[in-house]
Amino acid sequence: MKKIILLVLVFAFTLSSCEKDDICDANTPTTPRLVISFYDFLNPSVLKNVNNLKVVGEGMPNGILFGGLETTSANTISIPLKTVGTNTTYRFTLNFADSNPANVDEDIIRFDYSTKEIFVSRACGYKTNFTLDPTNPYTHTDPVDPSKRWMKFISVEKNNIENENETHIKIFF
């Protein structure tokens, strides 16, 4: 009888020491990236692919990877914003791989925003949502000559960046 009671107690302690695995599901929403879509300046309702676009964050030696490459020719991109601080600056280089330097054009955009940390779960931790500054969401510059910007017009579509399922910024070129 003592052996049975001892066996039941050992079994009960074994079960009581188990706890739920803390694994963050891959489908759990995390910190969203800024979604930018590119449009034709002359025909604003038409999405337009950029040619060999390279996007490099301020102070970074390498560009953002798009499908494993540092350049893309897509009409929509997603770029991360810094979770520490209230602005992020990127250099957008059009025709980066062009052998003719006259065709390569670079614009600089600084995005200004506020952040809000949201607790997701014990396993996933926190995510950060962003709200673009309503009075001055971005500063657009050209490092050499402002009249030669390849980005003609920038439109903020969504100030709140809470997911990656919608376009936040439209750039017309």
Side-chain angles (χ1 to χ4, degrees):
M1 185 69 168
K2 288 182 182 182
K3 288 182 182 181
I4 293 175
I5 292 174
L6 183 60
L7 185 61
V8 169
L9 285 174
V10 169
F11 184 70
F13 285 123
T14 303
L15 288 179
S16 69
S17 67
C18 293
E19 65 181 69
K20 181 181 167 193
D21 287 338
D22 283 340
I23 298 173
C24 185
D25 183 17
N27 295 324
T28 303
T30 57
T31 298
R33 294 173 293 173
L34 179 69
V35 179
I36 301 173
S37 294
F38 296 92
Y39 286 83
D40 188 341
F41 182 69
L42 299 176
N43 192 355
S45 63
V46 176
L47 281 166
K48 183 177 177 182
N49 286 351
V50 290
N51 293 324
N52 292 313
L53 177 68
K54 183 173 182 176
V55 182
V56 180
E58 181 179 53
M60 301 301 295
N62 301 318
I64 293 175
L65 296 179
F66 301 103
L69 303 173
E70 280 194 347
T71 61
T72 185
S73 291
N75 58 31
T76 300
I77 61 171
S78 298
I79 59 175
L81 297 174
K82 293 179 185 177
T83 57
V84 178
T86 58
N87 64 59
T88 303
T89 302
Y90 282 106
R91 291 179 176 272
F92 292 81
T93 307
L94 185 65
N95 299 319
F96 177 78
D98 198 308
S99 58
N100 182 355
N103 293 336
V104 178
D105 201 356
E106 183 176 83
D107 283 15
I108 300 171
I109 300 180
R110 185 188 77 217
F111 298 100
D112 296 307
Y113 50 84
S114 59
T115 60
K116 181 179 180 184
E117 284 191 348
I118 298 170
F119 181 73
V120 177
S121 68
R122 255 183 37 200
C124 299
Y126 288 84
K127 75 175 193 169
T128 303
N129 285 346
F130 306 93
T131 301
L132 293 173
D133 185 331
T135 57
N136 189 31
Y138 64 87
T139 303
H140 180 203
T141 60
D142 181 292
V144 180
D145 183 357
S147 68
K148 295 185 179 183
R149 293 179 181 166
W150 67 270
M151 296 178 187
K152 304 296 183 203
F153 181 72
I154 300 173
S155 170
V156 176
E157 298 299 306
K158 302 280 184 183
N159 276 34
N160 294 327
I161 302 165
E162 298 172 347
N163 63 59
E164 297 179 12
N165 300 331
E166 56 196 5
T167 297
H168 305 112
I169 302 282
K170 287 183 178 180
I171 295 178
F172 299 85
F173 71 104

